[in-house]
Every structure is written in structure tokens, then in C-alpha cells.
Amino acid sequence: MILLSVLAGLGIIQMTVLIGYSIYRTVEFHQQIRELEARVTLLKQDVADLSNMRQKSFDPEFLRQLARCQGYVGEKEEVFVDQKAVQGVNEAECRLPVLRP
């Protein structure tokens, strides 16, 4: 009878551990799903932006705006450099220009 009680106790402990691990996995999977959904949303936005860029690739004004975004200036323009400007720019902040239909 004592052996049966010990085995039942071990079974209860094992079931508790398995239920706890299952809950932990569920929480982790839901967190990963949220992260992936956010990433997919950003990638869909990038695809839409690139599609719009492809459509406007022959528009001279758009190409001028894109070149200006990359740091180019016109022939008759002067360049002023701010000595107190932020040195390291985050890549996420350097997005393509806003495309207007």
C-alpha cells in the first residue's frame, strides 16, 4: 500500500510538471506569434512601399526626392553641416520618403 501511495504521489508530481511546462510553452508560443505578426506587418508595408517606388521610378521629381533622401544636393545649392548633429543614425529611422499617390 505504501508503494502504491508513493507511485501515485510521483504521478501527481509528474502531471503537475507537465501541465506547468505546457502552460510555459503556450505563453512562449503566443509571444513568438505576436513578434512574427508584427514583423510580417512591417514586411508587407515594405513591399507596398517598394511597389509604389517601382511605379514612380520614371518620375523625375520622385527620383530627385529619393536622391535628396540619400544625401545628394543640387548643383546650385550650398551644403551646411551641423557640428552638433547626431552621429549614429538608426537604420530604422532612415526610411524611404513618403509616397503620395
Side-chain angles (χ1 to χ4, degrees):
M1 193 61 152
I2 294 175
L3 182 61
L4 187 59
S5 296
V6 170
L7 289 176
L10 289 176
I12 291 172
I13 291 172
Q14 182 182 10
M15 276 303 253
T16 305
V17 168
L18 289 175
I19 290 172
Y21 183 68
S22 177
I23 291 171
Y24 169 76
R25 279 191 349 194
T26 302
V27 170
E28 283 291 316
F29 287 159
H30 283 297
Q31 181 182 1
Q32 290 177 358
I33 287 171
R34 284 191 298 271
E35 290 172 2
L36 286 175
E37 286 174 346
R39 179 76 175 137
V40 166
T41 302
L42 284 175
L43 290 175
K44 284 182 180 180
Q45 180 183 359
D46 287 347
V47 168
D49 289 345
L50 290 174
S51 175
N52 287 337
M53 280 187 64
R54 185 176 62 185
Q55 292 173 355
K56 294 185 175 194
S57 64
F58 296 107
D59 181 17
E61 184 60 36
F62 174 74
L63 293 176
R64 191 174 298 114
Q65 181 185 10
L66 186 61
R68 189 173 288 282
C69 182
Q70 294 178 357
Y72 292 98
V73 295
E75 293 177 3
K76 298 179 182 179
E77 295 177 341
E78 292 183 29
V79 179
F80 293 101
V81 178
D82 184 7
Q83 298 296 330
K84 298 178 184 176
V86 178
Q87 296 295 324
V89 177
N90 187 358
E91 184 178 330
E93 294 174 2
C94 295
R95 301 287 297 169
L96 296 173
V98 177
L99 305 174
R100 295 178 182 88

